[in-house]
Amino acid sequence: MVPERLQVELAVRGSRLRPPEVVMRPEMLGAARLTRYSFSRTMLRRAVAGGWTACRTSQDLDAEGRGESVYTVEADGHRFSFVAFTTTIDESAHTDRVIAERWEVAGVLVEGEVTEELMATLRVEVPEQERGRLDPRVLCLTRGNRSVRFFGYLVDALAAGQQPNPDRVGDAGYILRSTAFYANGKFGMRSFAGYPTDHPLGPPYRAQFVAAWLFRELGYDMVEHCARIKGGETAVPFDKEWRRFFGLGNATGLGLVPYAFKHPRVLDAWVGVREVALADQRDLPGDPTSMERLTVWIARARRHFATGGDDDCHPFLNARSLVPVLDRIASAWEDASTSDLPFDALYRWAEVDGPETAEMVVSLLLELHEADDALVDEMLVVEEHAAADPAMTVGEARRLLDERFDWLADLGLDEAKANTFWWVVSDNTEEPRRALRSLLAPEHRDVAIDTALRLWRLRADLVAEDSDTPIHRFLAERPEHRLAVERLHVSDRRYGEPRDNACAAGYLPLQVQRFQLAMYGMDNYKPKSTDWLRVTLFQGAPRLDDLGPDVTDDWVLPPRPGSPA
Amino acid sequence: MVGSVLVAPREVHDLVFRCARVAGCDAGGADRTARNVTMAEVQFGGALAAVVDALSFEAFTSTWARAADALVSAEVNARQHGSATVTFDPPVPLAALAATVSEASARGIVVSGVPGDATGGSEIATLDLAPGQVEPAADPGTNVYRDGLPVDRGAFDALVEAAAAFLVAEEALDALEG
């Protein structure tokens, strides 16, 4: 069997990598930030490198922005269209939860021609979202709402011939707020495995991020369209300062958590890509150019966060609270600059300072790192399923448990509070939720992300077994351990397991959610409870018209319009 | 196929998994059942109807699980002793075994006894296993991951209905949270 590319790259770096006991700590995952290797960034770099073109091909909206829009991307000989249906709903019906029955925007990403026959189907099925039925021409299904606070204000400002007041909208960062981006065979859409290896949307999550980028464009177009209708000749478009500032909002709930716990090899790839880059960057001596670039990035991040909000973002730091973190980083960088390995010295200091500092430094250091994006895409491709060998002995299983899951002993898994929650799928559009075990019995309806508990029980039950007993015989007698044995086998990667128990009383979903959102390329993490948060995607990113060879990748952390340089 | 619906293979897996959970399988057993059925449907067709029948007789936790266990045990015997035969009494549909057969093949065990014209619903009574050169599975002739998998609409709808029991009522969950 040929080892996956990421495993080869990790093996080469060996002890230069951060250990999983540092990286996979919930506090560290919960401090992750978007990096150069987040999906939004790699998608746009690949689009520029591949000479993709994108435009709005049709739009038919009324004065309130209700109607149909189609955006097209030409990529490496393939045509993709984002088809969006927009309407308005009463403010009282706005909700970010997936259980909402109506959305102001419903869209799909389609490959190939959008024929009238397909359009007729989409008009019926797409607004239905989870209740609709799609086919393999459709790659991604999404939806969202307008920002209640800002959409109307932005329309009014532009209609009056004025640009927005930064104090009114500067820390919002978005016009439309999305929720789910369904793909990979859901509701009849194309399976991820159905993309050929050379397909431009073949890398993981590429289709979703093309859809998200076009979704963001729709927000700008809707505001400018409504402003033109309302203001007539007085109306103006967003000016140069504002035309890239808004990203796409997103609201994210518990649905991310089961994914993280059920896909250890995917999680390993997401973490591994960052860690390979970090190890390389830390290993470099400081040359004047790259050292100056880091100084500039630190200042840029400070400027970005200094003009952000001061909302309560517990347990995370809000934008303003990140300013002293960046001041400490700037000071530490001055000291580290004299070291033989200045980037490594800065990181070592940051890890001691705390998770928010460490992960801020990771994101800044990775801005200096320039990997081959084709290699990054390749490193993200993993074979998820690997059947355990039934001839494996109990003794071998015990050895693997000790080797791969020794950290379970630190989680207090014998305590009653370790088994407080079970995870459930609600009958309302299949929203994942948690339920207290003391109030509702699972009755075989639990989503099996109790990985830590299952492996801990397996460990206990293997004690009484003869070491030479083949595992298939043990499983025939104890089928409740099958999932744990399969996990033991497939969890052969460095960064596959969050070192946490998703069923514990004190479990905080926000931490693994933040890691996933950071990997997507989201920022501006604003928790609304322990279970869900709002974020921003593509803030500062190039627009469709910008695509071209001159587009650079340094669009993140944009300054708020009107803020001092 | 008359009365067919185009689905993604993962939809088959997800539905069968939930049906198997509701029928009493633990998550690991349900996943094995779902992988067996999905592979049978992709390679042979006709597996979903077998699942609908199995639901009626609560077979997932008994005959289907025992059959897959017996096949795995025979594989280990064949690796140790050069050959083995596994007998299913009562016979089980190929839908209960397809992925388990494939996994044994991936470990270098030739599994004989699946009829050339089998469907996922074909009853299998005996399989012979021996180490050897495994022939690659027949090309289904279409990329079901790219183009979709046509399945029996009636069986698919029946699975959708049965799988719904895996979900918990939103009202009940809201009530728990006060």
Side-chain angles (χ1 to χ4, degrees):
Chain A
M1 182 182 291
V2 179
E4 290 165 358
R5 187 59 188 261
L6 174 63
Q7 301 312 308
V8 173
E9 299 295 330
L10 289 170
V12 166
R13 287 155 183 87
S15 62
R16 292 194 285 122
L17 296 163
R18 290 197 293 177
E21 49 269 30
V22 170
V23 181
M24 304 309 289
R25 275 171 51 209
E27 298 80 10
M28 200 64 102
L29 292 172
R33 308 203 72 85
L34 81 87
T35 74
R36 186 173 151 72
Y37 299 111
S38 295
F39 298 146
S40 58
R41 305 279 299 276
T42 48
M43 187 280 284
L44 281 172
R45 282 201 304 276
R46 295 287 269 172
V48 171
W52 296 10
T53 58
C55 64
R56 187 182 69 223
T57 43
S58 70
Q59 191 155 54
D60 181 13
L61 303 178
D62 69 11
E64 300 298 321
R66 295 175 293 229
E68 298 176 359
S69 304
V70 180
Y71 295 85
T72 301
V73 174
E74 302 282 352
D76 304 338
H78 297 255
R79 168 172 286 195
F80 306 100
S81 297
F82 181 68
V83 181
F85 303 96
T86 49
T87 186
T88 51
I89 60 176
D90 188 81
E91 276 186 28
S92 63
H94 273 230
T95 172
D96 288 331
R97 286 178 61 187
V98 298
I99 61 169
E101 292 187 356
R102 299 181 63 205
W103 303 91
E104 289 183 316
V105 182
V108 283
L109 186 71
V110 173
E111 178 162 12
E113 290 297 320
V114 182
T115 62
E116 195 43 51
E117 166 264 330
L118 176 59
M119 197 69 185
T121 300
L122 297 177
R123 280 187 192 108
V124 174
E125 303 294 338
V126 174
E128 289 293 308
Q129 293 288 301
E130 293 92 342
R131 296 180 298 275
R133 190 76 201 154
L134 302 166
D135 70 40
R137 288 173 292 183
V138 181
L139 312 181
C140 179
L141 170 72
T142 184
R143 71 292 185 84
N145 286 323
R146 303 172 181 196
S147 164
V148 171
R149 287 185 294 166
F150 303 124
F151 190 96
Y153 168 74
L154 292 173
V155 170
D156 290 343
L158 296 185
Q162 297 169 352
Q163 295 300 311
N165 177 349
D167 292 335
R168 288 283 305 270
V169 296
D171 69 334
Y174 58 83
I175 300 169
L176 301 178
R177 188 169 59 245
S178 57
T179 58
F181 285 89
Y182 294 115
N184 189 18
K186 291 283 268 184
F187 319 120
M189 286 184 282
R190 185 177 307 170
S191 304
F192 180 67
Y195 292 101
T197 50
D198 58 350
H199 192 280
L201 305 191
Y205 284 87
R206 184 109 338 137
Q208 289 93 321
F209 281 84
V210 169
W213 184 54
L214 299 171
F215 197 145
R216 174 212 187 209
E217 188 77 12
L218 174 66
Y220 280 102
D221 284 351
M222 287 171 65
V223 165
E224 291 184 343
H225 166 86
C226 293
R228 274 195 306 274
I229 300 285
K230 189 168 189 173
E233 290 187 359
T234 309
V236 293
F238 288 109
D239 69 13
K240 190 179 174 186
E241 274 199 301
W242 285 99
R243 67 178 294 279
R244 282 191 183 192
F245 182 74
F246 295 110
L248 176 69
N250 187 264
T252 297
L254 292 176
L256 286 181
V257 177
Y259 188 85
F261 280 91
K262 287 164 75 172
H263 298 272
R265 289 185 172 181
V266 172
L267 191 64
D268 172 75
W270 293 10
V271 177
V273 163
R274 295 159 47 105
E275 295 305 317
V276 163
L278 179 64
D280 288 353
Q281 191 61 39
R282 288 174 62 186
D283 209 34
L284 291 176
D287 65 276
T289 304
S290 56
M291 290 174 71
E292 174 58 23
R293 280 181 65 205
L294 182 59
T295 302
V296 170
W297 271 108
I298 293 169
R300 178 175 176 150
R302 189 192 189 285
R303 183 182 177 200
H304 173 79
F305 290 113
T307 56
D310 58 358
D311 312 5
D312 178 9
C313 290
H314 182 78
F316 306 145
L317 296 182
N318 63 36
R320 299 275 176 87
S321 303
L322 286 168
V323 172
V325 173
L326 284 154
D327 287 341
R328 289 201 302 278
I329 292 172
S331 174
W333 175 231
E334 279 186 26
D335 296 340
S337 298
T338 58
S339 167
D340 290 342
L341 294 175
F343 306 122
D344 181 63
L346 178 65
Y347 175 76
R348 286 177 188 276
W349 165 84
E351 192 176 300
V352 174
D353 200 65
E356 283 278 8
T357 312
E359 289 301 311
M360 179 69 83
V361 165
V362 169
S363 72
L364 293 169
L365 287 176
L366 293 198
E367 291 300 332
L368 311 182
H369 187 262
E370 295 191 0
D372 172 1
D373 282 321
L375 173 64
V376 172
D377 286 348
E378 193 183 341
M379 287 196 287
L380 290 168
V381 176
V382 297
E383 175 56 53
E384 285 210 68
H385 180 68
D389 186 346
M392 175 172 68
T393 64
V394 163
E396 174 74 356
R398 284 197 203 112
R399 187 185 64 75
L400 289 178
L401 271 166
D402 288 342
E403 197 176 284
R404 298 176 179 173
F405 290 95
D406 59 335
W407 50 270
L408 292 176
D410 300 330
L411 296 183
L413 295 168
D414 290 323
E415 298 171 23
K417 64 184 181 184
N419 199 14
T420 299
F421 289 108
W422 61 285
W423 287 72
V424 54
V425 183
S426 117
D427 67 353
N428 195 342
T429 66
E430 307 207 355
E431 183 184 41
R433 294 181 63 172
R434 293 190 288 180
L436 280 167
R437 197 169 280 271
S438 60
L439 297 181
L440 187 68
E443 296 173 329
H444 292 285
R445 296 170 298 176
D446 53 308
V447 180
I449 61 169
D450 50 348
T451 311
L453 289 164
R454 283 176 181 269
L455 284 154
W456 193 243
R457 290 183 197 125
L458 172 66
R459 182 193 196 97
D461 287 346
L462 286 180
V463 168
E465 298 294 321
D466 187 286
S467 293
D468 295 329
T469 301
I471 204 72
H472 76 87
R473 198 172 298 159
F474 170 75
L475 289 176
E477 298 295 320
R478 305 292 301 272
E480 71 273 21
H481 287 306
R482 182 173 302 284
L483 193 70
V485 169
E486 294 286 351
R487 182 59 165 254
L488 183 59
H489 176 73
V490 82
S491 189
D492 57 353
R493 307 293 158 94
R494 194 177 175 97
Y495 300 117
E497 302 286 351
R499 307 225 160 169
D500 213 342
N501 170 19
C503 300
Y507 176 68
L508 188 58
L510 289 171
Q511 292 174 317
V512 80
Q513 287 170 332
R514 173 152 162 188
F515 171 78
Q516 292 167 278
L517 294 169
M519 194 62 201
Y520 293 159
M522 295 179 181
D523 203 347
N524 207 12
Y525 313 101
K526 293 188 173 174
K528 298 297 172 185
S529 77
T530 57
D531 293 2
W532 74 278
L533 68 165
R534 286 180 178 163
V535 287
T536 310
L537 178 67
F538 286 122
Q539 193 176 10
R543 302 272 303 279
L544 270 56
D545 288 348
D546 298 328
L547 268 194
D550 298 333
V551 170
T552 57
D553 182 45
D554 60 350
W555 49 263
V556 293
L557 303 174
R560 189 174 78 169
S563 63
Chain B
M1 187 183 295
V2 178
S4 69
V5 58
L6 202 59
V7 306
R10 68 94 51 98
E11 292 182 284
V12 173
H13 180 281
D14 292 353
L15 287 173
V16 175
F17 176 85
R18 289 180 177 184
C19 289
R21 290 302 314 277
V22 171
C25 292
D26 192 78
D31 180 62
R32 180 173 66 173
T33 300
R35 284 189 286 110
N36 276 321
V37 172
T38 306
M39 180 161 284
E41 187 64 50
V42 168
Q43 289 200 338
F44 305 103
L48 295 196
V51 174
V52 174
D53 287 345
L55 286 175
S56 309
F57 296 101
E58 299 180 350
F60 284 152
T61 52
S62 54
T63 49
W64 283 44
R66 282 200 300 271
D69 285 345
L71 177 56
V72 161
S73 179
E75 179 204 332
V76 174
N77 280 339
R79 287 158 65 178
Q80 288 174 341
H81 306 297
S83 68
T85 297
V86 57
T87 301
F88 306 111
D89 182 19
V92 291
L94 182 54
L97 301 169
T100 310
V101 169
S102 174
E103 286 165 9
S105 300
R107 289 186 284 262
I109 298 296
V110 177
V111 181
S112 317
V114 176
D117 59 351
T119 70
S122 299
E123 296 282 316
I124 305 294
T126 302
L127 292 172
D128 295 311
L129 297 90
Q133 188 71 34
V134 179
E135 290 185 19
D139 184 349
T142 178
N143 184 337
V144 297
Y145 295 97
R146 184 190 61 210
D147 304 324
L149 175 66
V151 301
D152 181 84
R153 181 182 292 275
F156 186 76
D157 289 346
L159 287 188
V160 169
E161 189 176 337
F166 181 74
L167 309 176
V168 177
E170 181 80 6
E171 293 79 7
L173 293 167
D174 287 342
L176 293 178
E177 292 181 358

